[in-house]
Amino acid sequence: MEGRAKTIRNVAILLVLAAVVAFVPGGGRAAVTFQTILGVAFMFGLGLAGMYFYRQSRVTIYSLGERRRALLYGSIGVAVVTVAAKPRMWETGVGELCWFLLIGFVVYTLFSLYRYSRTY
């Protein structure tokens, strides 16, 4: 019974928050502000995670050599720009196709670099 009451309470909280956003003047602006704060916090967390994984794998990354390391950094950059440009690229069919091709190339490059790093 405790789990059901907790779920009902959580749903009620969500309904109250939705009503505030929908019916209180300025509620939409507050929701957008909160969404922006959450987005910035999420990106900051991703940056910290990236820094942590870089520090853990620094020797492996440097053992790839300059050419493959450039491929790694380039593919990460292409992935970031492609994901950021997704809404605009998906406005046309050709843009959508290019988006999938770029992401496919990024995945292929990262997978081939992973396989190379595991060979002796």
Side-chain angles (χ1 to χ4, degrees):
M1 287 295 184
E2 183 179 312
R4 180 174 276 186
K6 195 174 187 180
T7 301
I8 291 172
R9 182 199 65 188
N10 290 341
V11 169
I13 290 171
L14 284 175
L15 290 175
V16 168
L17 289 174
V20 167
V21 168
F23 301 117
V24 173
R29 180 178 281 181
V32 168
T33 302
F34 186 68
Q35 179 183 3
T36 303
I37 291 169
L38 284 177
V40 168
F42 181 73
M43 291 299 156
F44 181 73
L46 282 177
L48 285 178
M51 184 177 66
Y52 172 78
F53 290 128
Y54 171 77
R55 287 182 176 174
Q56 293 294 320
S57 305
R58 192 177 320 171
V59 173
T60 305
I61 291 171
Y62 279 106
S63 70
L64 289 174
E66 288 185 20
R67 180 175 172 262
R68 287 186 175 84
R69 199 166 52 244
L71 280 172
L72 173 67
Y73 296 147
S75 64
I76 290 172
V78 168
V80 168
V81 170
T82 304
V83 169
K86 179 186 172 205
R88 191 161 189 175
M89 289 180 79
W90 279 37
E91 290 177 359
T92 64
V94 174
E96 192 171 340
L97 176 67
C98 289
W99 189 87
F100 278 110
L101 288 174
L102 286 170
I103 293 296
F105 286 135
V106 166
V107 169
Y108 175 76
T109 303
L110 292 176
F111 182 71
S112 65
L113 288 171
Y114 173 77
R115 284 185 50 199
Y116 177 78
S117 72
R118 295 295 176 211
T119 59
Y120 295 109

